[in-house]
Amino acid sequence: MLRKPVSFLFIALFQLTLPAVYAQRASIRVTEKAEKGSFALLAAGKAVSIVTDTADAEVTQIAAAALSDDIKTLTGAKPAVLHETAPAKPSIIIGTLGRSAVIDRLASLGRIQTDSVKGKWETFCITVIADQEHKGLRSLVIFGSDPRGTAFGVFELSKMLGVSPWVWWADVTPARRQNLYIGAGTNIIGPPSVKYRGLFINDEDWGMRPWAAKNMDKDLKDIGPKTYEKVFELMLRLKANYLWPAMHPGTKAFWYYKENPELARKYAIIMGSSHHEPMLRDTEFEWNENYKEEYGKDHGEWRYDTNRDEIYRFFDDRVKQAENNEAIYTVGMRATKDGGMAGPSATEGKVKILEEVIRDQREILEKRLKKPADEVPQVFCPYKEVLDLYRAGLKVPDDVTITWVDDNHGYIRQLPNEKEQKRSGGSGVYYHFSYWGLPQDYLWLCSTSPVLTSYEMSKAYDQNARTIWVFNAGDIKPAELELQFGMDLAWDVKAWSPGKAHSYPAYWASETFGKEFGERIGRIKETYYRLAASGKPEHLNWVSFTPGEIQTRLKEYQQLAAETQQLAGKIPERLQNAYFELVAYPVQAACSMNEKMLYARESLRLSGSSQPLALEYAAKAEKAYENIQTLTKKYNTEIAGGKWDGMMDAHPRGREIFNAPKAATADMPAGGTTNKTETADSEFVLPAARYVKNNRDSKQLKLVSGLGYTGEGLTVLPPIIKTFSEKDIDNAPYADFKLPVKKGKNKIEVRCLPNFPLNPDMSLRYALSVNGSKPEFVNIATLAETKEWSSNVLRGFSKGNSIYQSNRDEEVTIRIYFPDPGLVVNALAVTYPDNNP
């Protein structure tokens, strides 16, 4: 008898205690021994066949072929891929409702139940059914509501079998299996929380492009179709569906190579373009470099109010070319490079021109695609200066998705207010795991924690930013974990809520390296993220530490690197390359960068006063620099037989921080100094985790593990979407802290996550009371790209200050109120009277 699908009620109840990714798999499991009612995928060295319908979408055939390859990788036996409408033997049957005769036949016979899948977005079912014609035999059926749903279902099965999404991209070689059985049951997965889940390949100059030119698209010396085919398969394995392709100077446009859009169609990937590439046009290449080749003449100025006709045609020609591709069109206009649009100097004039641009772009879409503009997916991205124009009154058509942006460092600048949340086009988020720009780049390693990503993106989801999420993952490597987390969160936002996200690295490591290594690698990753939150490896030149903080930081990094190295000896040989790429390189390189910078800094501080120690530190700094070069050489030329040669660069963009250390020398005059080491450890710092009381019995105030530079952040979850004033502040959530002060003027500093108010109608304040005094309100909100903001994102916290005058040494009670949504407190610090002017 066909078992009924798992009810959504059951799944919802199960999700109360476990991440949904587990709940989704609760009904079906993979074993190496036969069980009652199970399906034998591989037994006695023989694999069953895979069946598809040739009339189904190409992505279904691609996924079926990939599954066959995955099973061969696992077992050595490669299943045949057949095209039948009524399989006579037990098989893996794959197809899309309404497009596959074999699936529709099973539905009509009542052998699969489709009500929970049919008509939904990217939803799929994996089910074991009895073979009515061959008693005791069974088949495994994977069917989707649409072609992408079918492909996602196929790759979900691969993942269940033990094939990582990173099997090719990070050399995660699965363990060999002798037998494979699928337990009886049904899994229904989908629809996703976020409709469009996107990847942006960006700043590819020091990774993706040199690697692709050397190893993939050798004939093109560029990122071309051989590279993109691997990207598209990875996206399907991650359940991603939307791409902003590489577009930096030196990379030819995605559309320049005719095979690229054809591959996107085959893999059912939705094409898009970044925030400054309107209408799928790579302006950096197609306007600045290739216009004459395409049009046979030089172009005019990239300025719509003076060169409308030429730019209009430029947009129109791309839409004509893309008619057969599924796409989301970026509307609006910026400079051909990442900058403001040329035009009138006054804001009012810029707004008027931009509104004309959008009207014309929608006219093109209607004309070329032969449907109303409000039926064509479009995105408007208020990035940098465009946000100022939007705030100045720019009118964006209601059906266009506004994709809000972070500050390039992981903190979302603005989310939709109540009115904007009702837009028919909805909202989205463009979020960074990699960045080139102010105040400093981070193009080398990826150290944005899953907890921060979850906190910010969950907040966005709660404010109805659910239509599009795009993650800037640089070169994909080394942001594998972070990118997968982003896609997993976008697929099921409740599975990895802020309170659960700290456990994701261990979950990910268990899936990638095996359960026996999951917890240890998870702890390594959690510590790696916590240390980077108070200064990314790429930012150490601009972050101050006291001598005591430097020694503590170095000790923690060295212990982390030692543990990483020790664990490497226990990882199976088949996973050694993966372990180096995913764990060892980022941890050991980050440790060496901290050693290089901080030992050099201390050597300069001690030069003259303690010359032997200064020279010892200088030698350690140089050794750390050499270790980074050795690790990077290994990444590029030694692991995986040189497969990743060109992917890892130890000095992206030639920034000074990547150079050999500037440290003390034997002939340096006494009294060498460095302005990045604070002279004394004069503070008392109390982590937010050490609060002693709150007024909500812990039902609203939550301590979120992994959030912020101390490793724990105190915040209100779920956020209360209201603000409190002096009149009702006693009703706001609060926490009490016991803090030692000294006689005289004490500066009390409250250190908070450097995020932003939810929207321009709100602030980001705390209120502070000492021993029951009248609460003092302090607004910690800053504007992006200001000096204060720069300091905040580099050191990992914003801060507000209050002065408390004490007539004796004592312990006081500090009450911190949370009057605005989004406030996260990480620590309190006291600077004592002797150090206060």
Side-chain angles (χ1 to χ4, degrees), residues 113-295:
Q113 297 184 13
T114 63
D115 290 349
S116 297
V117 175
K118 188 176 182 180
K120 297 189 176 178
W121 179 262
E122 296 180 348
T123 300
F124 60 88
C125 176
I126 306 174
T127 185
V128 175
I129 65 171
D131 189 324
Q132 294 177 343
E133 298 173 8
H134 302 83
K135 191 173 181 179
L137 299 180
R138 284 168 167 74
S139 288
L140 179 67
V141 182
I142 305 171
F143 64 94
S145 60
D146 50 38
R148 268 193 304 273
T150 302
F152 293 157
V154 173
F155 286 116
E156 179 71 12
L157 176 63
S158 279
K159 191 175 177 184
M160 291 172 65
L161 295 174
V163 179
S164 166
W166 302 101
V167 61
W168 190 88
W169 276 93
D171 305 301
V172 183
T173 303
R176 293 298 289 262
R177 311 288 284 271
Q178 298 300 315
N179 299 292
L180 285 172
Y181 295 89
I182 310 296
T186 298
N187 286 2
I188 297 172
I189 303 179
S193 298
V194 177
K195 187 172 185 178
Y196 301 111
R197 304 168 305 282
L199 161 66
F200 182 19
I201 298 172
N202 192 216
D203 303 322
E204 65 273 11
D205 313 48
W206 301 276
M208 180 72 79
R209 188 173 66 235
W211 167 77
K214 185 179 291 188
N215 300 283
M216 299 297 290
D217 295 283
K218 300 177 184 178
D219 53 335
L220 304 176
K221 302 298 181 188
D222 198 3
I223 301 173
K226 292 177 182 176
T227 305
Y228 277 114
E229 188 160 23
K230 290 296 186 183
V231 171
F232 292 156
E233 181 181 311
L234 174 66
M235 291 176 68
L236 294 179
R237 289 183 184 272
L238 295 175
K239 298 188 184 71
N241 60 9
Y242 176 42
L243 179 70
W244 290 1
M247 40 63 68
H248 246 228
T251 303
K252 291 183 171 62
F254 177 87
W255 299 85
Y256 181 81
Y257 302 114
K258 305 307 178 188
E259 302 96 322
N260 284 347
E262 178 60 30
L263 279 171
R265 287 192 288 272
K266 289 179 178 179
Y267 278 80
I269 298 299
I270 303 163
M271 290 309 302
S273 54
S274 74
H275 50 83
H276 74 94
E277 298 174 278
M279 304 293 277
L280 304 181
R281 275 294 195 177
D282 179 347
T283 51
E284 181 67 66
F285 174 75
E286 295 183 291
W287 184 270
N288 291 347
E289 297 181 32
N290 199 58
Y291 188 92
K292 190 169 185 177
E293 179 181 323
E294 183 175 348
Y295 288 100

Side-chain angles (χ1 to χ4, degrees), residues 490-528:
W491 183 264
D492 187 348
V493 73
K494 299 303 180 185
W496 298 108
S497 60
K500 300 175 184 176
H502 71 279
S503 64
Y504 185 85
Y507 158 76
W508 171 88
S510 294
E511 285 210 330
T512 306
F513 296 100
K515 291 182 180 179
E516 64 269 39
F517 303 111
E519 287 190 12
R520 287 189 67 180
I521 293 175
R523 288 196 298 269
I524 288 169
K525 283 288 189 180
E526 285 186 72
T527 304
Y528 168 79

Side-chain angles (χ1 to χ4, degrees), residues 19 61 105 158 301 391 458 484 486 557 590 603 691 785 814:
Q61 319 303 334
R105 176 175 175 271
S158 279
E301 187 178 7
R391 289 173 173 172
S458 297
Q484 185 175 346
Y557 260 118
S603 78
Y691 72 92
E785 300 181 15
I814 304 293

Side-chain angles (χ1 to χ4, degrees), residues 770-814:
V770 182
N771 290 340
S773 65
K774 180 181 178 181
E776 174 190 0
F777 284 76
V778 179
N779 188 7
I780 58 167
T782 60
L783 292 175
E785 300 181 15
T786 61
K787 183 177 180 180
E788 184 179 5
W789 165 84
S790 297
S791 296
N792 291 348
V793 297
L794 292 173
R795 71 188 172 208
F797 62 88
S798 57
K799 62 182 181 179
N801 294 311
S802 300
I803 298 297
Y804 176 69
Q805 187 76 34
S806 180
N807 57 13
R808 60 190 174 91
D809 292 357
E810 60 178 323
E811 184 179 72
V812 297
T813 298
I814 304 293

Side-chain angles (χ1 to χ4, degrees), residues 256 258 279-283 285-300 302 307-321 364 368:
Y256 181 81
K258 305 307 178 188
M279 304 293 277
L280 304 181
R281 275 294 195 177
D282 179 347
T283 51
F285 174 75
E286 295 183 291
W287 184 270
N288 291 347
E289 297 181 32
N290 199 58
Y291 188 92
K292 190 169 185 177
E293 179 181 323
E294 183 175 348
Y295 288 100
K297 64 171 186 174
D298 292 327
H299 59 71
W302 182 255
N307 194 25
R308 174 188 178 275
D309 291 348
E310 193 168 65
I311 297 172
Y312 186 103
R313 181 188 175 190
F314 184 69
F315 293 155
D316 183 54
D317 286 346
R318 174 49 41 77
V319 179
K320 180 180 178 181
Q321 181 186 0
I364 291 168
R368 286 294 176 195

Side-chain angles (χ1 to χ4, degrees), residues 381 621 744:
C381 196

